Amino acid sequence: MLVRRLRLTRRHATWSAAVLLATAVAVPAGASAFGPADKVRAAVKDGPAKNVILLIGDGMGDSEITLARNYTVGAAGRLNMDTFPMTGAYTTYSVDKHGKPDYVTDSSASGTGWATGHKTVNGRVSKTPDTNKAIPTLLELAQKSGLATGSITTSDLTDATPAVQASHVTDRDCQGPEDMKKCSVDRISKGGPGSIAEQSVNHKVDVLLGGGKGHFGQKVKEGPYKGKTVIQQAEKLGYQVVTDAKGMRKAKAGQPVLGLFADYDIPIEWTGKPATGKGTSPQRCVTSNPKRPKDTPTLADQTTRAIELLEAKQAKQAKKGHRADKGFFLQVEGANIDSEDHAADPCGQIGETAAFDRAVKVARDYAASHPDTLVITTADHGHSSQIVPVDTDPAGMSSTLVTNEGQQMKVSYGTAPVGESQEHSGTEVRIAAEGPEAYRVLGVTNQTDLNTTIRTALNLG
């Protein structure tokens, strides 16, 4: 029956090869005799999907995942993100203004790739690389199709990855109305849409949760909201503005929510000694951070509440007699994996990866009872951390950790001079999925193909 349904059209031409590849994947420790190939066959579903949850680990390359796995659940253990039935890899390069490959992307160009289906230059947000024209995003297409929409992050809501879904600017630095120096054509007085913060609330995204009070607190300089802060602009547009976990829990469905839980990035969950040029003595990570307020929601908390709010909004719409079959599109970003990789801080990095993995569990638990939900987890680009032999003396910076298995693990960082911000890498990164159209992530694909997968699943055209 399944073979008949999977006719070998161009769309399914790689299916047989993908199954052969899948059978070579090791069975996770403690798994049943229900093998990988069986799991793949059982999980294959064509669209449409009612809902899509896209989870992005910023800078979360295979090395970052392996570090978190080794430290938290052991080398033979498996994270939530490790057990998706469909796993592949995608390339992450950006382009220059002539369309030629730039082999190491930044977050704005990579995010533009999946948000719009088009490559762009580093630093640009959902605009063409040559003509600097806005390109429709997945979130915008979802809104036009009547879906509820959300974007949540552990960074500033005006940072690159959340920005790619709800704004179009020439440069990612144009985060608030006082930051428009690099974006003259995007100014409201020039007929443009304004800063990332202004555009995000003007888009009426149903749920926006993350950091960013500093940018949303800036005063609007042009247009109908001149003189007001972007927060006040949001309130005029009907947003409930919340600033902690209690406020987030109390937010009412059916009215857009803007959660601003920090001035800029949300403080990380774990702390420890950063890497140094001479290494560190073996250390255990501290699974707390005194600089993180106790009423700060975790990424898993944000994901849970966002799903509840998006679901409830659509249920309200259905009671009014329309959009009864419409679901939601939600993007979830674990942003500070990247920031801690830049800082060569392995404990901060691992803690943020573990926090992201708990958000993955929330999404997968929801999909288990809502099989019309496509869940995808991936990264925007690779990063700098590497696991090296404990007895080596790396040329860059390093730190030695004592994992939960009681073993030492040395992490090195060498993509920038000692003491400077570590750089991204140009490697391909993992993409994994379950639900309708999930098989599309199998093999090695391009970052822009993720756009096609989600558009197809949600029938966005």
Side-chain angles (χ1 to χ4, degrees), residues 24 55 126 164 211 247 252 260 321 403 418 451:
L55 300 113
S126 295
V164 299
K252 297 176 182 178
L260 298 170
T403 72
V418 172
N451 180 272

Side-chain angles (χ1 to χ4, degrees), residues 89-93 119 380 426-429 444-449:
Y90 68 25
T91 55
T92 63
Y93 65 93
K119 298 282 187 182
D380 52 354
T427 184
E428 63 187 32
V429 296
V444 178
T445 57
N446 197 312
Q447 198 161 51
T448 53
D449 293 327

Side-chain angles (χ1 to χ4, degrees), residues 74-292:
R78 292 295 179 264
L79 300 167
N80 294 297
M81 70 180 86
D82 288 331
T83 58
F84 279 87
M86 310 288 183
T87 300
Y90 68 25
T91 55
T92 63
Y93 65 93
S94 55
V95 295
D96 63 20
K97 64 181 180 180
H98 303 295
K100 300 293 185 183
D102 186 340
Y103 298 113
V104 182
T105 189
D106 82 326
S107 294
S108 57
S110 62
T112 295
W114 73 72
T116 70
H118 295 268
K119 298 282 187 182
T120 196
V121 296
N122 287 344
R124 193 158 291 177
V125 175
S126 295
K127 298 180 87 175
T128 55
D130 48 359
T131 57
N132 195 28
K133 301 295 183 184
I135 315 169
T137 71
L138 286 168
L139 186 144
E140 290 169 333
L141 294 173
Q143 285 181 317
K144 287 180 181 179
S145 293
L147 278 72
T149 57
S151 178
I152 65 181
T153 182
T154 55
S155 71
D156 196 317
L157 275 164
T158 57
D159 203 5
T161 302
V164 299
Q165 294 290 0
S167 67
H168 307 269
V169 290
T170 304
D171 192 282
R172 61 182 289 179
D173 289 343
C174 302
Q175 296 187 52
E178 297 173 12
D179 307 319
M180 295 297 288
K181 189 174 181 179
K182 298 180 181 178
C183 298
S184 58
V185 298
D186 302 314
R187 298 179 69 101
I188 293 173
S189 61
K190 301 289 187 180
S195 67
I196 294 169
E198 293 166 90
Q199 290 186 58
S200 296
V201 296
N202 278 335
H203 265 85
K204 284 285 191 83
V205 181
D206 295 295
V207 180
L208 290 168
L209 304 175
K213 278 186 283 191
H215 289 114
F216 284 84
Q218 292 181 13
K219 284 191 175 181
V220 178
K221 295 181 174 294
E222 303 165 333
Y225 300 101
K226 182 178 179 180
K228 297 183 183 298
T229 65
V230 183
I231 292 174
Q232 292 171 324
Q233 175 182 339
E235 290 170 335
K236 285 284 186 181
L237 290 167
Y239 274 90
Q240 306 166 81
V241 179
V242 300
T243 58
D244 55 26
K246 183 178 180 181
M248 181 182 74
R249 288 191 298 269
K250 288 187 173 182
K252 297 176 182 178
Q255 183 182 350
V257 180
L258 173 61
L260 298 170
F261 307 123
D263 287 339
Y264 298 101
D265 291 353
I266 294 175
I268 59 175
E269 296 201 9
W270 290 16
T271 55
K273 298 174 185 176
T276 71
K278 295 182 179 180
T280 66
S281 57
Q283 62 170 320
R284 289 283 292 162
C285 297
V286 179
T287 56
S288 63
N289 180 3
K291 295 181 180 179
R292 182 183 173 95

